[in-house]
Amino acid sequence: MSSITLMMIKPDAVENGYIGKIIEKVTSSGFKIRALKLTQLSKYDAQRFYYVHRERSFFPDLVNFMSRSPIIAAVLEKKNAVSDFRNLIGSTNPVEADEGTIRNLYASSIAENAVHGSDSDKNAKIEASFHFSGRERF
Ligand code: CMP
């Protein structure tokens, strides 16, 4: 049975012109796009999205980074979507990401790491609803 995950192509990767390359890698790895948009988070949006990290020392920098320029948000569907997508993007820190993963190819640092993927089925549903209304999803 298929499941969903929420992808964001983060400001660094959008600024560096990697939208097309990342989407090609995602779809050629078997993920179906069920929702997709170019959007920009306000500081308040970024604080809400990353609320779980609010006590971390990097939280203010994370909020500034995620709201500084547009992102791509997408709902992706596949069997084992959450774990397969996390394997495809690689470790949070790009220097630890396996060769050929999205972060290995396109990320520059742990703070500016090109893509986000949901960490559980429950959070995938919450994050998909954060970005998309019912009529934006297919
Ligand atoms: P992501 O997995 O999308 O969600 C949490 C984000 O916080 C993570 O990607 C990184 O962008 C950021 N992050 C995690 N750990 C650190 C860290 N040690 N220093 C700076 N940013 C971090």
Side-chain angles (χ1 to χ4, degrees):
M1 214 183 79
S2 65
S3 56
I4 61 156
T5 192
L6 186 281
M7 169 176 80
M8 291 188 291
I9 303 179
K10 297 186 181 185
D12 59 323
V14 174
E15 290 163 6
N16 289 328
Y18 294 142
I19 293 175
K21 287 188 161 120
I22 291 173
I23 289 179
E24 158 58 22
K25 192 154 179 66
V26 168
T27 54
S28 67
S29 299
F31 292 87
K32 298 241 179 298
I33 294 173
R34 297 301 185 204
L36 180 76
K37 68 177 155 194
L38 182 69
T39 184
Q40 184 163 359
L41 297 176
S42 66
K43 284 211 165 73
Y44 178 60
D45 292 331
Q47 285 166 348
R48 281 169 51 229
F49 190 90
Y50 285 112
Y51 185 74
V52 66
H53 295 304
R54 66 194 177 284
E55 307 291 349
R56 308 293 291 271
S57 59
F58 58 78
F59 185 69
D61 287 343
L62 177 61
V63 167
N64 284 333
F65 163 57
M66 286 302 297
S67 60
R68 82 173 178 215
S69 61
I71 61 164
I72 293 286
V75 177
L76 307 175
E77 185 180 73
K78 186 181 182 298
K79 194 168 170 237
N80 300 320
V82 166
S83 59
D84 283 7
F85 190 67
R86 287 176 79 82
N87 288 337
L88 182 66
I89 67 181
S91 299
T92 305
N93 188 347
V95 300
E96 293 165 8
D98 289 342
E99 196 152 332
T101 59
I102 292 175
R103 284 173 172 155
N104 167 257
L105 291 168
Y106 303 119
S108 53
S109 70
I110 191 168
E112 303 204 359
N113 61 0
V115 277
H116 166 85
S118 308
D119 65 3
S120 67
D121 289 343
K122 181 176 170 223
N123 281 338
K125 288 182 184 141
I126 293 169
E127 292 175 1
S129 299
F130 180 97
H131 280 290
F132 296 99
S133 66
R135 50 192 294 272
E136 292 176 304
R137 293 174 60 173
F138 300 91

